[in-house]
Amino acid sequence: MGAESRIIIDNKAIGGEEFDQLAKGKKPIANPAPNPPPARNANNSKGKKSRRRQQQKQPSAAAVRPVQRLFDTCKEVFKSGSAGIVPSPDNVEKLRAVLDDIKPADLGLNPDIACLTLANLDGAAPNGKKPAIRYLHLHECNKFSIGVFCLPPSGVIPLHNHPGMTVFSKLLFGTMHIKSYDWVLDEEDQQPKVRLAKVKTNSDLTAPCNTSILYPEDGGNMHCFTAVTACAVLDVLGPPYNDDEGRHCQYYFDFPSSQFSGIFDGVVVPDEEKEGYGWLQERDRPADLVVRGELYRGPPFFK
């Protein structure tokens, strides 16, 4: 997910003033002479106490907000990344561990109300259209993006790709059905706009659960999310979508493998495995996909 909603926001510091205050403190008391007399020892003691108070004001590692830890880790993991470049295994595990610990409250989300207002923004979804999806934008730069998708029951983010990207998705609450694919053959071996893909995932996921990761060439690079209940998913993309750099969000129809059997030379799918494959056909962005972008209003973090 990610480019389903293109949102442009000022990328200035969030909560910067608050963190600046934590960094400020009284200057330590300086000795007035190289060899102060014994009578000044009381002042030296006060200076040490002042410095101790100053140190106590600095946030410890344990006191850092989870959202701040997430941003800092993303900045470190993706600092030298580019399209098609997967972070090292150590960095993947580092970011996965941070995401695994994230809770809805860490992002200011209340599962009881996060998705309830969506259906009533324009009334119930008319003419059988899918209900609107809410997108909370935390950050986007040329290296990575962070955002949260809140889906009401039956909300759908259609099947789409993530070209040259590594994507971390953490289901924060609710139950979501995930169907994902990876390509079977290189693009040059296939006919234009219709390609054979192997199913990677086709199941329900219920929070709390571990973070899912997809890669440029595997892990379910094309996926579709369908909300079984109201749910929210935290998405980290590295690098983010960028049309100018060839990272365009492409949507797809998927068809059973039997529907196009035999049209490509060299592609053989055993009958007993056909359910594990599908043909993906490019499509325009679905007209009934409504994603409403909102500013993130959870606990502040410094950029």
mmCIF file of all heavy atoms in Angstrom, residues 40-82:
data_model
loop_
_atom_site.group_PDB
_atom_site.id
_atom_site.type_symbol
_atom_site.label_atom_id
_atom_site.label_comp_id
_atom_site.label_asym_id
_atom_site.label_seq_id
_atom_site.Cartn_x
_atom_site.Cartn_y
_atom_site.Cartn_z
ATOM 1 N N ARG A 40 34.423 28.187 48.417
ATOM 2 C CA ARG A 40 33.567 28.103 47.238
ATOM 3 C C ARG A 40 33.061 26.680 47.015
ATOM 4 O O ARG A 40 32.351 26.422 46.052
ATOM 5 C CB ARG A 40 34.356 28.542 45.993
ATOM 6 C CG ARG A 40 35.023 29.906 46.109
ATOM 7 C CD ARG A 40 34.037 31.036 46.078
ATOM 8 N NE ARG A 40 33.350 31.108 44.793
ATOM 9 C CZ ARG A 40 32.656 32.157 44.399
ATOM 10 N NH1 ARG A 40 32.561 33.218 45.187
ATOM 11 N NH2 ARG A 40 32.044 32.149 43.234
ATOM 12 N N ASN A 41 33.445 25.736 47.857
ATOM 13 C CA ASN A 41 33.048 24.356 47.635
ATOM 14 C C ASN A 41 31.538 24.185 47.606
ATOM 15 O O ASN A 41 31.002 23.328 46.911
ATOM 16 C CB ASN A 41 33.636 23.446 48.725
ATOM 17 C CG ASN A 41 35.116 23.210 48.492
ATOM 18 O OD1 ASN A 41 35.613 23.448 47.404
ATOM 19 N ND2 ASN A 41 35.813 22.751 49.538
ATOM 20 N N ALA A 42 30.831 24.999 48.396
ATOM 21 C CA ALA A 42 29.373 24.918 48.413
ATOM 22 C C ALA A 42 28.812 25.223 47.031
ATOM 23 O O ALA A 42 27.864 24.585 46.557
ATOM 24 C CB ALA A 42 28.797 25.882 49.454
ATOM 25 N N ASN A 43 29.420 26.233 46.346
ATOM 26 C CA ASN A 43 28.949 26.571 44.997
ATOM 27 C C ASN A 43 29.230 25.419 44.027
ATOM 28 O O ASN A 43 28.453 25.139 43.109
ATOM 29 C CB ASN A 43 29.629 27.846 44.504
ATOM 30 C CG ASN A 43 29.110 29.081 45.218
ATOM 31 O OD1 ASN A 43 28.022 29.043 45.796
ATOM 32 N ND2 ASN A 43 29.896 30.151 45.196
ATOM 33 N N ASN A 44 30.417 24.797 44.208
ATOM 34 C CA ASN A 44 30.721 23.668 43.328
ATOM 35 C C ASN A 44 29.686 22.556 43.503
ATOM 36 O O ASN A 44 29.266 21.913 42.548
ATOM 37 C CB ASN A 44 32.107 23.120 43.638
ATOM 38 C CG ASN A 44 33.201 24.090 43.203
ATOM 39 O OD1 ASN A 44 32.954 24.947 42.369
ATOM 40 N ND2 ASN A 44 34.378 23.953 43.792
ATOM 41 N N SER A 45 29.295 22.328 44.747
ATOM 42 C CA SER A 45 28.293 21.305 45.018
ATOM 43 C C SER A 45 26.978 21.648 44.344
ATOM 44 O O SER A 45 26.302 20.797 43.763
ATOM 45 C CB SER A 45 28.099 21.161 46.526
ATOM 46 O OG SER A 45 27.083 20.227 46.806
ATOM 47 N N LYS A 46 26.615 22.956 44.385
ATOM 48 C CA LYS A 46 25.383 23.379 43.730
ATOM 49 C C LYS A 46 25.482 23.173 42.222
ATOM 50 O O LYS A 46 24.519 22.822 41.547
ATOM 51 C CB LYS A 46 25.093 24.844 44.056
ATOM 52 C CG LYS A 46 24.700 25.089 45.512
ATOM 53 C CD LYS A 46 24.424 26.563 45.750
ATOM 54 C CE LYS A 46 24.023 26.817 47.199
ATOM 55 N NZ LYS A 46 23.788 28.265 47.448
ATOM 56 N N GLY A 47 26.700 23.447 41.681
ATOM 57 C CA GLY A 47 26.878 23.263 40.238
ATOM 58 C C GLY A 47 26.679 21.816 39.838
ATOM 59 O O GLY A 47 26.084 21.510 38.804
ATOM 60 N N LYS A 48 27.203 20.890 40.648
ATOM 61 C CA LYS A 48 27.035 19.469 40.349
ATOM 62 C C LYS A 48 25.569 19.070 40.412
ATOM 63 O O LYS A 48 25.076 18.311 39.579
ATOM 64 C CB LYS A 48 27.857 18.640 41.336
ATOM 65 C CG LYS A 48 29.364 18.792 41.163
ATOM 66 C CD LYS A 48 30.105 17.961 42.186
ATOM 67 C CE LYS A 48 31.617 18.134 42.032
ATOM 68 N NZ LYS A 48 32.361 17.360 43.051
ATOM 69 N N LYS A 49 24.844 19.605 41.411
ATOM 70 C CA LYS A 49 23.420 19.299 41.514
ATOM 71 C C LYS A 49 22.667 19.826 40.302
ATOM 72 O O LYS A 49 21.754 19.185 39.788
ATOM 73 C CB LYS A 49 22.845 19.897 42.799
ATOM 74 C CG LYS A 49 23.351 19.218 44.070
ATOM 75 C CD LYS A 49 22.741 19.863 45.295
ATOM 76 C CE LYS A 49 23.236 19.194 46.572
ATOM 77 N NZ LYS A 49 22.651 19.837 47.783
ATOM 78 N N SER A 50 23.074 21.029 39.857
ATOM 79 C CA SER A 50 22.420 21.604 38.678
ATOM 80 C C SER A 50 22.637 20.742 37.454
ATOM 81 O O SER A 50 21.729 20.515 36.652
ATOM 82 C CB SER A 50 22.949 23.021 38.435
ATOM 83 O OG SER A 50 22.391 23.574 37.263
ATOM 84 N N ARG A 51 23.882 20.252 37.308
ATOM 85 C CA ARG A 51 24.172 19.398 36.160
ATOM 86 C C ARG A 51 23.401 18.083 36.240
ATOM 87 O O ARG A 51 22.934 17.561 35.239
ATOM 88 C CB ARG A 51 25.671 19.142 36.072
ATOM 89 C CG ARG A 51 26.469 20.349 35.576
ATOM 90 C CD ARG A 51 27.895 19.959 35.231
ATOM 91 N NE ARG A 51 28.668 19.614 36.424
ATOM 92 C CZ ARG A 51 29.345 20.503 37.155
ATOM 93 N NH1 ARG A 51 29.322 21.788 36.831
ATOM 94 N NH2 ARG A 51 30.040 20.124 38.207
ATOM 95 N N ARG A 52 23.265 17.543 37.458
ATOM 96 C CA ARG A 52 22.494 16.313 37.615
ATOM 97 C C ARG A 52 21.037 16.540 37.247
ATOM 98 O O ARG A 52 20.409 15.702 36.598
ATOM 99 C CB ARG A 52 22.614 15.787 39.050
ATOM 100 C CG ARG A 52 23.944 15.100 39.350
ATOM 101 C CD ARG A 52 23.845 14.254 40.591
ATOM 102 N NE ARG A 52 23.594 15.053 41.777
ATOM 103 C CZ ARG A 52 24.552 15.561 42.549
ATOM 104 N NH1 ARG A 52 25.825 15.338 42.252
ATOM 105 N NH2 ARG A 52 24.250 16.275 43.606
ATOM 106 N N ARG A 53 20.480 17.701 37.657
ATOM 107 C CA ARG A 53 19.095 17.998 37.309
ATOM 108 C C ARG A 53 18.945 18.120 35.803
ATOM 109 O O ARG A 53 17.954 17.685 35.223
ATOM 110 C CB ARG A 53 18.638 19.279 38.018
ATOM 111 C CG ARG A 53 18.378 19.110 39.515
ATOM 112 C CD ARG A 53 17.587 20.298 40.049
ATOM 113 N NE ARG A 53 18.339 21.542 39.928
ATOM 114 C CZ ARG A 53 19.134 22.027 40.881
ATOM 115 N NH1 ARG A 53 19.292 21.341 42.011
ATOM 116 N NH2 ARG A 53 19.783 23.159 40.708
ATOM 117 N N GLN A 54 19.941 18.730 35.164
ATOM 118 C CA GLN A 54 19.902 18.892 33.710
ATOM 119 C C GLN A 54 19.910 17.528 33.024
ATOM 120 O O GLN A 54 19.159 17.286 32.089
ATOM 121 C CB GLN A 54 21.094 19.707 33.235
ATOM 122 C CG GLN A 54 21.151 19.889 31.710
ATOM 123 C CD GLN A 54 22.415 20.571 31.277
ATOM 124 O OE1 GLN A 54 23.184 21.018 32.122
ATOM 125 N NE2 GLN A 54 22.625 20.651 30.002
ATOM 126 N N GLN A 55 20.769 16.616 33.512
ATOM 127 C CA GLN A 55 20.846 15.291 32.923
ATOM 128 C C GLN A 55 19.546 14.528 33.108
ATOM 129 O O GLN A 55 19.117 13.775 32.230
ATOM 130 C CB GLN A 55 22.004 14.516 33.537
ATOM 131 C CG GLN A 55 23.377 15.085 33.169
ATOM 132 C CD GLN A 55 24.489 14.444 33.962
ATOM 133 O OE1 GLN A 55 24.223 13.640 34.861
ATOM 134 N NE2 GLN A 55 25.718 14.810 33.653
ATOM 135 N N GLN A 56 18.884 14.732 34.236
ATOM 136 C CA GLN A 56 17.634 14.038 34.498
ATOM 137 C C GLN A 56 16.535 14.488 33.549
ATOM 138 O O GLN A 56 15.582 13.771 33.292
ATOM 139 C CB GLN A 56 17.199 14.256 35.947
ATOM 140 C CG GLN A 56 18.105 13.536 36.947
ATOM 141 C CD GLN A 56 17.803 13.922 38.380
ATOM 142 O OE1 GLN A 56 16.944 14.791 38.628
ATOM 143 N NE2 GLN A 56 18.495 13.305 39.316
ATOM 144 N N LYS A 57 16.657 15.698 32.997
ATOM 145 C CA LYS A 57 15.640 16.205 32.077
ATOM 146 C C LYS A 57 15.764 15.587 30.686
ATOM 147 O O LYS A 57 14.843 15.634 29.904
ATOM 148 C CB LYS A 57 15.749 17.731 31.956
ATOM 149 C CG LYS A 57 15.364 18.473 33.226
ATOM 150 C CD LYS A 57 15.506 19.980 33.016
ATOM 151 C CE LYS A 57 15.139 20.739 34.283
ATOM 152 N NZ LYS A 57 15.278 22.200 34.089
ATOM 153 N N GLN A 58 16.921 15.034 30.358
ATOM 154 C CA GLN A 58 17.110 14.447 29.043
ATOM 155 C C GLN A 58 16.338 13.139 28.967
ATOM 156 O O GLN A 58 16.377 12.323 29.879
ATOM 157 C CB GLN A 58 18.608 14.186 28.778
ATOM 158 C CG GLN A 58 19.479 15.414 28.929
ATOM 159 C CD GLN A 58 19.036 16.537 28.010
ATOM 160 O OE1 GLN A 58 18.665 16.290 26.880
ATOM 161 N NE2 GLN A 58 19.077 17.755 28.502
ATOM 162 N N PRO A 59 15.612 12.895 27.860
ATOM 163 C CA PRO A 59 14.828 11.666 27.743
ATOM 164 C C PRO A 59 15.734 10.440 27.628
ATOM 165 O O PRO A 59 16.685 10.436 26.860
ATOM 166 C CB PRO A 59 14.024 11.873 26.457
ATOM 167 C CG PRO A 59 14.832 12.863 25.668
ATOM 168 C CD PRO A 59 15.490 13.753 26.678
ATOM 169 N N SER A 60 15.446 9.415 28.396
ATOM 170 C CA SER A 60 16.201 8.175 28.299
ATOM 171 C C SER A 60 15.682 7.368 27.126
ATOM 172 O O SER A 60 14.639 7.647 26.563
ATOM 173 C CB SER A 60 16.049 7.362 29.592
ATOM 174 O OG SER A 60 14.700 6.953 29.742
ATOM 175 N N ALA A 61 16.431 6.308 26.752
ATOM 176 C CA ALA A 61 16.001 5.460 25.641
ATOM 177 C C ALA A 61 14.644 4.851 25.924
ATOM 178 O O ALA A 61 13.810 4.705 25.031
ATOM 179 C CB ALA A 61 17.046 4.369 25.397
ATOM 180 N N ALA A 62 14.407 4.486 27.201
ATOM 181 C CA ALA A 62 13.133 3.870 27.560
ATOM 182 C C ALA A 62 11.983 4.855 27.472
ATOM 183 O O ALA A 62 10.830 4.474 27.302
ATOM 184 C CB ALA A 62 13.219 3.279 28.962
ATOM 185 N N ALA A 63 12.282 6.161 27.603
ATOM 186 C CA ALA A 63 11.231 7.169 27.601
ATOM 187 C C ALA A 63 10.882 7.660 26.203
ATOM 188 O O ALA A 63 9.933 8.398 26.030
ATOM 189 C CB ALA A 63 11.660 8.358 28.469
ATOM 190 N N VAL A 64 11.629 7.271 25.188
ATOM 191 C CA VAL A 64 11.361 7.710 23.826
ATOM 192 C C VAL A 64 10.031 7.125 23.358
ATOM 193 O O VAL A 64 9.769 5.939 23.515
ATOM 194 C CB VAL A 64 12.496 7.266 22.874
ATOM 195 C CG1 VAL A 64 12.151 7.611 21.434
ATOM 196 C CG2 VAL A 64 13.800 7.935 23.275
ATOM 197 N N ARG A 65 9.191 7.973 22.795
ATOM 198 C CA ARG A 65 7.893 7.510 22.315
ATOM 199 C C ARG A 65 8.078 6.449 21.229
ATOM 200 O O ARG A 65 8.972 6.547 20.398
ATOM 201 C CB ARG A 65 7.095 8.673 21.745
ATOM 202 C CG ARG A 65 6.590 9.673 22.774
ATOM 203 C CD ARG A 65 5.646 10.652 22.101
ATOM 204 N NE ARG A 65 5.065 11.568 23.067
ATOM 205 C CZ ARG A 65 5.485 12.811 23.278
ATOM 206 N NH1 ARG A 65 6.507 13.275 22.578
ATOM 207 N NH2 ARG A 65 4.896 13.587 24.159
ATOM 208 N N PRO A 66 7.179 5.456 21.170
ATOM 209 C CA PRO A 66 7.282 4.433 20.114
ATOM 210 C C PRO A 66 7.261 5.027 18.714
ATOM 211 O O PRO A 66 7.986 4.551 17.836
ATOM 212 C CB PRO A 66 6.060 3.549 20.367
ATOM 213 C CG PRO A 66 5.822 3.675 21.842
ATOM 214 C CD PRO A 66 6.151 5.107 22.172
ATOM 215 N N VAL A 67 6.467 6.076 18.489
ATOM 216 C CA VAL A 67 6.415 6.677 17.160
ATOM 217 C C VAL A 67 7.734 7.363 16.820
ATOM 218 O O VAL A 67 8.173 7.366 15.665
ATOM 219 C CB VAL A 67 5.217 7.651 17.033
ATOM 220 C CG1 VAL A 67 5.408 8.871 17.931
ATOM 221 C CG2 VAL A 67 5.017 8.072 15.584
ATOM 222 N N GLN A 68 8.409 7.924 17.829
ATOM 223 C CA GLN A 68 9.721 8.518 17.598
ATOM 224 C C GLN A 68 10.741 7.431 17.277
ATOM 225 O O GLN A 68 11.576 7.586 16.376
ATOM 226 C CB GLN A 68 10.176 9.302 18.824
ATOM 227 C CG GLN A 68 11.520 10.001 18.655
ATOM 228 C CD GLN A 68 11.445 11.145 17.654
ATOM 229 O OE1 GLN A 68 10.618 12.037 17.792
ATOM 230 N NE2 GLN A 68 12.289 11.114 16.642
ATOM 231 N N ARG A 69 10.661 6.323 18.011
ATOM 232 C CA ARG A 69 11.576 5.208 17.751
ATOM 233 C C ARG A 69 11.356 4.653 16.342
ATOM 234 O O ARG A 69 12.317 4.295 15.634
ATOM 235 C CB ARG A 69 11.367 4.110 18.798
ATOM 236 C CG ARG A 69 12.400 2.986 18.732
ATOM 237 C CD ARG A 69 12.191 1.975 19.843
ATOM 238 N NE ARG A 69 12.385 2.577 21.149
ATOM 239 C CZ ARG A 69 11.409 2.789 22.037
ATOM 240 N NH1 ARG A 69 10.173 2.444 21.754
ATOM 241 N NH2 ARG A 69 11.657 3.353 23.191
ATOM 242 N N LEU A 70 10.103 4.604 15.910
ATOM 243 C CA LEU A 70 9.791 4.141 14.557
ATOM 244 C C LEU A 70 10.413 5.049 13.513
ATOM 245 O O LEU A 70 11.071 4.585 12.574
ATOM 246 C CB LEU A 70 8.274 4.071 14.366
ATOM 247 C CG LEU A 70 7.791 3.797 12.941
ATOM 248 C CD1 LEU A 70 8.292 2.449 12.446
ATOM 249 C CD2 LEU A 70 6.267 3.870 12.878
ATOM 250 N N PHE A 71 10.226 6.361 13.666
ATOM 251 C CA PHE A 71 10.780 7.296 12.688
ATOM 252 C C PHE A 71 12.305 7.214 12.652
ATOM 253 O O PHE A 71 12.909 7.154 11.574
ATOM 254 C CB PHE A 71 10.339 8.722 13.008
ATOM 255 C CG PHE A 71 10.972 9.745 12.107
ATOM 256 C CD1 PHE A 71 10.480 9.979 10.832
ATOM 257 C CD2 PHE A 71 12.082 10.467 12.527
ATOM 258 C CE1 PHE A 71 11.075 10.905 9.988
ATOM 259 C CE2 PHE A 71 12.688 11.393 11.693
ATOM 260 C CZ PHE A 71 12.185 11.611 10.425
ATOM 261 N N ASP A 72 12.926 7.207 13.819
ATOM 262 C CA ASP A 72 14.389 7.164 13.880
ATOM 263 C C ASP A 72 14.929 5.885 13.249
ATOM 264 O O ASP A 72 15.958 5.904 12.546
ATOM 265 C CB ASP A 72 14.857 7.266 15.333
ATOM 266 C CG ASP A 72 14.587 8.631 15.945
ATOM 267 O OD1 ASP A 72 14.341 9.581 15.189
ATOM 268 O OD2 ASP A 72 14.612 8.726 17.189
ATOM 269 N N THR A 73 14.247 4.762 13.473
ATOM 270 C CA THR A 73 14.698 3.495 12.907
ATOM 271 C C THR A 73 14.537 3.488 11.394
ATOM 272 O O THR A 73 15.432 3.017 10.669
ATOM 273 C CB THR A 73 13.921 2.320 13.531
ATOM 274 O OG1 THR A 73 14.048 2.370 14.960
ATOM 275 C CG2 THR A 73 14.455 0.991 13.029
ATOM 276 N N CYS A 74 13.426 4.016 10.899
ATOM 277 C CA CYS A 74 13.229 4.105 9.447
ATOM 278 C C CYS A 74 14.316 4.966 8.807
ATOM 279 O O CYS A 74 14.860 4.622 7.748
ATOM 280 C CB CYS A 74 11.858 4.701 9.126
ATOM 281 S SG CYS A 74 10.474 3.595 9.451
ATOM 282 N N LYS A 75 14.623 6.063 9.456
ATOM 283 C CA LYS A 75 15.650 6.961 8.927
ATOM 284 C C LYS A 75 16.994 6.255 8.833
ATOM 285 O O LYS A 75 17.748 6.443 7.871
ATOM 286 C CB LYS A 75 15.745 8.199 9.826
ATOM 287 C CG LYS A 75 16.591 9.330 9.264
ATOM 288 C CD LYS A 75 16.483 10.559 10.146
ATOM 289 C CE LYS A 75 17.313 11.709 9.578
ATOM 290 N NZ LYS A 75 17.211 12.919 10.437
ATOM 291 N N GLU A 76 17.300 5.427 9.825
ATOM 292 C CA GLU A 76 18.565 4.692 9.827
ATOM 293 C C GLU A 76 18.551 3.559 8.800
ATOM 294 O O GLU A 76 19.505 3.375 8.037
ATOM 295 C CB GLU A 76 18.824 4.121 11.222
ATOM 296 C CG GLU A 76 20.086 3.283 11.315
ATOM 297 C CD GLU A 76 20.261 2.664 12.692
ATOM 298 O OE1 GLU A 76 19.460 2.981 13.598
ATOM 299 O OE2 GLU A 76 21.196 1.846 12.857
ATOM 300 N N VAL A 77 17.460 2.794 8.754
ATOM 301 C CA VAL A 77 17.381 1.613 7.895
ATOM 302 C C VAL A 77 17.405 1.983 6.417
ATOM 303 O O VAL A 77 18.018 1.296 5.595
ATOM 304 C CB VAL A 77 16.110 0.806 8.234
ATOM 305 C CG1 VAL A 77 15.822 -0.250 7.163
ATOM 306 C CG2 VAL A 77 16.258 0.152 9.601
ATOM 307 N N PHE A 78 16.746 3.104 6.068
ATOM 308 C CA PHE A 78 16.615 3.467 4.655
ATOM 309 C C PHE A 78 17.556 4.591 4.219
ATOM 310 O O PHE A 78 17.420 5.106 3.115
ATOM 311 C CB PHE A 78 15.174 3.882 4.357
ATOM 312 C CG PHE A 78 14.174 2.769 4.494
ATOM 313 C CD1 PHE A 78 13.259 2.773 5.536
ATOM 314 C CD2 PHE A 78 14.153 1.722 3.597
ATOM 315 C CE1 PHE A 78 12.325 1.751 5.669
ATOM 316 C CE2 PHE A 78 13.231 0.685 3.717
ATOM 317 C CZ PHE A 78 12.314 0.702 4.756
ATOM 318 N N LYS A 79 18.512 4.955 5.046
ATOM 319 C CA LYS A 79 19.344 6.114 4.740
ATOM 320 C C LYS A 79 20.146 5.951 3.461
ATOM 321 O O LYS A 79 20.414 6.933 2.758
ATOM 322 C CB LYS A 79 20.280 6.424 5.913
ATOM 323 C CG LYS A 79 21.304 5.338 6.223
ATOM 324 C CD LYS A 79 22.147 5.732 7.438
ATOM 325 C CE LYS A 79 23.136 4.617 7.816
ATOM 326 N NZ LYS A 79 23.928 4.982 9.026
ATOM 327 N N SER A 80 20.553 4.743 3.105
ATOM 328 C CA SER A 80 21.336 4.535 1.888
ATOM 329 C C SER A 80 20.566 3.723 0.859
ATOM 330 O O SER A 80 21.146 3.184 -0.078
ATOM 331 C CB SER A 80 22.656 3.826 2.212
ATOM 332 O OG SER A 80 22.418 2.584 2.853
ATOM 333 N N GLY A 81 19.243 3.635 1.025
ATOM 334 C CA GLY A 81 18.437 2.808 0.151
ATOM 335 C C GLY A 81 18.024 3.517 -1.123
ATOM 336 O O GLY A 81 18.092 4.735 -1.248
ATOM 337 N N SER A 82 17.624 2.718 -2.099
ATOM 338 C CA SER A 82 17.078 3.215 -3.361
ATOM 339 C C SER A 82 16.229 2.108 -3.953
ATOM 340 O O SER A 82 16.143 1.005 -3.393
ATOM 341 C CB SER A 82 18.207 3.622 -4.322
ATOM 342 O OG SER A 82 19.055 2.520 -4.602
#
